[in-house]
Amino acid sequence: MNIVHKVTVIHQEAEPTTPRQRRRQAKIDDILDTALRIVYKKGLSGLTIQSLARELDWAQGALYRYFSNKDGLLAAMETRVLKTFQEELFGKKATTEITGNANQRRLQALGRILTMGKSYMQIAEQKPHAFGLIAMMVADPHPVLPDSQAEELISTFRTLLSALAELFEQAVASDALQPGDNMRRALSYWLAIHGILQMKKYARFGDELFEPEALFEHTVVSLLTGWGAQEKTIAKTLKQSSLNKME
């Protein structure tokens, strides 16, 4: 039995083709990169058109040719960050298959879920500015963006979750998990990993309770067994994937 895995991809804007378009895109990228650094250092409240113009050494009026206000800037930042995470996690993977006997298919299906979780944590560490923006936007209990822009951002986020949900659908098809709401499973898994990453700052005090490796293993075992996976299968998958050694 072969199980096909098709990755859902966030809509990509057309690549700039003319020199003028490329120059404009390069300036937008510079703006977004600089804005991310400001947010990482000073938080969302520290990002203003004035502070961004000062950091870029631009006139404030020049920024308004690219973003009319802070809300539009934040929405563009968050959208690009989500697209970056999806490209890093799923973009290089074409349609793939799960093959082999029943036990091998279960191991492969769970292995992809576990590997994705570890990869997300590694990307967050490699791209602290990008992860920092997501963490701030998620942690703030108040709306950060106007409803119209927030709805567009949720649509982008749902596309990322859909790609993750497809991994859970694979696991169900492989009999590694019981049938269930795979979009909610994807969201729960993503939120759990975010919680682990948020707790990482406390691990520096040497308290084993906050140690990322143990937290990751405990969390995924708890979630996956709750969704029907066998603990021995998860343990074997962790061992085979070397996920019990967080790099």
Side-chain angles (χ1 to χ4, degrees):
M1 179 180 178
N2 296 341
I3 299 171
V4 177
H5 175 215
K6 296 181 180 178
V7 175
T8 302
V9 179
I10 292 175
H11 172 69
Q12 297 290 334
E13 298 293 337
E15 290 291 329
T17 56
T18 68
R20 182 178 180 181
Q21 289 173 335
R22 287 193 288 269
R23 286 194 298 270
R24 179 177 175 81
Q25 187 59 53
K27 289 181 179 179
I28 290 174
D29 290 341
D30 191 22
I31 292 170
L32 296 178
D33 288 339
T34 303
L36 274 175
R37 290 195 297 271
I38 293 174
V39 170
Y40 184 74
K41 293 178 182 178
K42 301 180 180 180
L44 292 173
S45 62
L47 177 63
T48 63
I49 295 297
Q50 293 84 355
S51 66
L52 181 56
R54 186 166 53 250
E55 191 72 19
L56 287 164
D57 196 22
W58 287 19
Q60 289 185 37
L63 280 173
Y64 289 111
R65 293 202 294 268
Y66 300 91
F67 298 101
S68 60
N69 53 44
K70 181 178 176 179
D71 291 335
L73 175 62
L74 280 174
M77 291 164 63
E78 187 77 1
T79 297
R80 192 178 73 157
V81 164
L82 290 173
K83 288 181 178 179
T84 297
F85 271 83
Q86 169 141 358
E87 289 168 1
E88 293 283 344
L89 291 169
F90 302 105
K92 298 178 181 179
K93 298 178 182 178
T95 300
T96 57
E97 294 183 352
I98 286 181
T99 60
N101 60 39
N103 186 55
Q104 290 170 333
R105 293 197 303 274
R106 285 192 290 269
L107 289 173
Q108 288 177 56
L110 291 182
R112 291 180 181 183
I113 293 171
L114 296 173
T115 298
M116 196 290 306
K118 184 184 179 186
S119 295
Y120 188 92
M121 294 178 72
Q122 290 174 335
I123 295 167
E125 186 171 345
Q126 294 163 3
K127 300 180 182 294
H129 296 169
F131 173 74
L133 177 64
I134 294 178
M136 290 178 196
M137 298 285 276
V138 171
D140 194 327
H142 305 290
V144 178
L145 294 172
D147 289 352
S148 59
Q149 290 172 323
E151 286 178 353
E152 292 181 10
L153 192 59
I154 289 172
S155 178
T156 302
F157 180 50
R158 285 184 68 90
T159 305
L160 175 60
L161 286 180
S162 293
L164 176 54
E166 288 171 8
L167 298 184
F168 287 95
E169 290 167 9
Q170 269 190 310
V172 172
S174 302
D175 293 325
L177 296 177
Q178 294 295 317
D181 187 333
N182 291 315
M183 278 294 284
R184 291 189 184 278
R185 287 173 173 177
L187 178 58
S188 298
Y189 191 56
W190 183 83
L191 287 170
I193 293 172
H194 255 270
I196 293 170
L197 289 166
Q198 296 284 58
M199 290 295 101
K200 188 175 180 180
K201 60 191 173 188
Y202 298 118
R204 71 184 190 276
F205 299 112
D207 190 332
E208 293 183 358
L209 179 64
F210 304 106
E211 201 280 313
E213 175 187 341
L215 270 177
F216 179 82
E217 183 169 334
H218 175 80
T219 300
V220 297
V221 169
S222 298
L223 286 174
L224 294 178
T225 53
W227 295 329
Q230 298 296 314
E231 284 193 44
K232 62 181 181 180
T233 305
I234 301 172
K236 190 172 183 179
T237 306
L238 285 166
K239 183 177 181 180
Q240 288 185 350
S241 303
S242 299
L243 288 173
N244 57 334
K245 290 185 179 181
M246 299 287 285
E247 296 176 358

